[in-house]
Amino acid sequence: DSERKLKLVHAQFCRVRHCPDCQWRRSLKWIARFSQAIPDILAKYPNGRFVFLILTQKNVPVNELRVTLGTMGKAWDRMRKRKEFAHVLGWIRTVEVTRGSNGSAHPHYNVLLLVPGDYFQRSDKYIDQVGWTKLWRESLKLDYDPIVYVTAVKPKRGRPAKREKLPGVMGAACEVLKYAVKVSDLIADGSWLLELTRQLDKLRFIASGGVLKDILGEGEQETNEDLLLRENSDGESTKAGTLFFNWRRRIRRYKRSRK
């Protein structure tokens, strides 16, 4: 009924990077940790603003994905050392890979930046869409202008900005910390998925720096308990009962069982 909630208390996760269930639980873990840490960050930088940034390049054959991501990582490091980036207080960067209609791979970065409160008023600090495109093109050493999307994270309309800052940045964080690969792309082509898995094996998909460094705990070894999100279960009761679900190979889905 409307008063009853379901809580996952036990599961055996494979923790394979592209498993849809594990991607979902991992995203929830990162978002929970971000929501716990961000109030302290905002207390230290009450006038700070957030910027959401997407950095792309042209699609590549899926068997070149590992090399391409290595090149992008070096380009990101070069860009962080540029004087234009010096005003960024902190950042979180994740990798997303989508499948092209021709079976190619489209790797790109989703980035959340924390910038000073006067960032948008200072011409010596502010970087517009054209500026980010130029900066990313030069850092990646491209001979074309890559598609770059940038937008300020704004409070909800009609609400006081101070009160709505946290919900605004949480929405941006959810976009940055979502799945690494869409489920629809994972099931579109079995051979593409196998090659994708080989290409991305043991690569790091999330990074952070500045005042946002390590708030997601991405450097630690992930455990089954992490994906259960036990830190949110204090004070909950199981008196209402427990439901069990087992994987049914024949029908390829989980089905409720007695135990």
Side-chain angles (χ1 to χ4, degrees):
D1 55 39
S2 60
E3 300 299 321
R4 186 173 299 171
K5 296 181 179 179
L6 295 177
K7 177 71 178 182
L8 181 63
V9 296
H10 179 72
Q12 293 294 331
F13 293 104
C14 66
R15 300 198 297 279
V16 173
R17 169 168 287 155
H18 309 309
C19 166
D21 282 333
C22 292
Q23 279 197 119
W24 166 55
R25 300 300 295 185
R26 190 173 295 116
S27 176
L28 291 179
K29 178 192 74 172
W30 286 338
I31 292 169
R33 292 184 177 180
F34 183 85
S35 66
Q36 291 169 2
I38 201 62
D40 289 338
I41 298 294
L42 293 178
K44 294 178 181 178
Y45 303 92
N47 297 320
R49 296 287 303 277
F50 286 88
V51 175
F52 176 56
L53 178 67
I54 300 177
L55 302 172
T56 79
Q57 68 150 65
K58 288 182 178 179
N59 289 21
V60 297
V62 67
N63 60 2
E64 297 178 8
L65 186 56
R66 192 178 190 88
V67 173
T68 301
L69 287 174
T71 301
M72 290 175 64
K74 293 176 181 178
W76 173 262
D77 290 338
R78 283 193 291 269
M79 190 171 73
R80 288 196 298 115
K81 296 175 183 177
R82 296 279 295 262
K83 63 179 182 179
E84 297 93 331
F85 201 90
H87 301 293
V88 175
L89 300 174
W91 53 270
I92 295 174
R93 189 209 71 201
T94 60
V95 176
E96 182 180 357
V97 179
T98 55
R99 182 179 182 274
S101 58
N102 60 352
S104 59
H106 177 57
H108 53 282
Y109 286 154
N110 296 317
V111 187
L112 186 63
L113 305 172
L114 173 61
V115 296
D118 61 351
Y119 173 79
F120 294 97
Q121 287 77 45
R122 295 277 300 272
S123 60
D124 60 330
K125 294 183 179 181
Y126 176 67
I127 307 175
D128 60 11
Q129 194 271 340
V130 174
W132 280 113
T133 301
K134 181 175 182 292
L135 194 58
W136 182 236
R137 172 178 175 163
E138 293 176 353
S139 299
L140 199 50
K141 300 180 180 179
L142 300 175
D143 58 0
Y144 62 90
D145 285 337
I147 295 175
V148 171
Y149 173 81
V150 60
T151 185
V153 176
K154 299 179 181 179
K156 294 181 180 180
R157 292 183 179 180
R159 302 290 184 88
K162 185 176 181 180
R163 189 175 67 190
E164 291 296 332
K165 180 180 287 189
L166 185 56
V169 72
M170 285 308 302
C174 289
E175 182 65 22
V176 171
L177 300 173
K178 61 184 181 180
Y179 48 76
V181 186
K182 295 179 181 178
V183 175
S184 58
D185 287 342
L186 293 175
I187 64 176
D189 185 324
S191 60
W192 189 87
L193 172 59
L194 289 174
E195 184 58 33
L196 177 82
T197 302
R198 284 191 287 266
Q199 291 290 315
L200 302 183
D201 183 43
K202 298 180 181 180
L203 293 185
R204 190 179 182 186
F205 260 45
I206 185 167
S208 57
V211 300
L212 300 181
K213 184 173 177 59
D214 297 332
I215 68 171
L216 303 179
E218 69 270 19
E220 65 189 31
Q221 184 68 33
E222 183 178 82
T223 67
N224 206 61
E225 291 291 311
D226 290 332
L227 299 188
L228 283 174
L229 304 175
R230 287 287 178 83
E231 64 270 22
N232 295 330
S233 61
D234 293 343
E236 294 182 353
S237 172
T238 58
K239 291 182 179 180
T242 304
L243 302 178
F244 295 90
F245 296 84
N246 287 327
W247 178 258
R248 305 300 187 187
R249 184 182 296 272
R250 184 176 61 84
I251 60 176
R252 302 178 63 82
R253 58 171 292 183
Y254 284 97
K255 187 174 182 181
R256 183 177 173 182
S257 62
R258 293 186 179 181
K259 191 169 181 179

